[in-house]
């Protein structure tokens, strides 16, 4: 999740804007190399679901991110 949100020169996932998300643009075949997935285009309803998710803020709960939770800061270190 963190790598997808960070991206490189262009974010893979841009919460709040499907038009600014490399993920969406690759799904609809508009730039950034080969259309995804390479095995065949997703259905219009699947693409619409991803577009809506991105436009609505791309909520991605920590429990589903597959990443270790952040370590809480030690109060004494502050």
């Amino acid at each position: 999740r963190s790598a997808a949100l960070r991206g490189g020169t262009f974010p893979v996932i841009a919460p709040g804007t499907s038009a600014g998300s490399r993920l969406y643009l690759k799904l609809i075949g508009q730039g950034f190399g080969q259309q995804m997935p390479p095995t065949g285009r997703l259905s219009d309803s699947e693409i619409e679901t991803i577009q809506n998710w991105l436009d609505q803020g791309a909520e991605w709960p920590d429990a589903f991110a597959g990443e270790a939770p952040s370590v809480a800061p030690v109060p004494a270190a502050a």
Side-chain angles (χ1 to χ4, degrees):
R1 174 178 76 171
S2 61
L5 290 170
R6 180 178 57 254
T9 56
F10 196 87
V12 176
I13 295 174
T17 175
S18 56
S21 298
R22 185 179 292 201
L23 169 66
Y24 177 72
L25 296 175
K26 286 184 72 78
L27 290 175
I28 62 172
Q30 292 188 355
F32 300 106
Q34 180 180 13
Q35 181 175 335
M36 296 303 283
T39 55
R41 190 180 193 305
L42 296 178
S43 71
D44 290 341
S45 66
E46 290 171 319
I47 292 173
E48 183 179 6
T49 297
I50 293 170
Q51 179 183 18
N52 290 336
W53 175 69
L54 291 164
D55 289 340
Q56 294 170 13
E59 182 65 28
W60 195 341
D62 289 340
F64 300 116
E67 297 177 352
S70 308
V71 177
V74 177

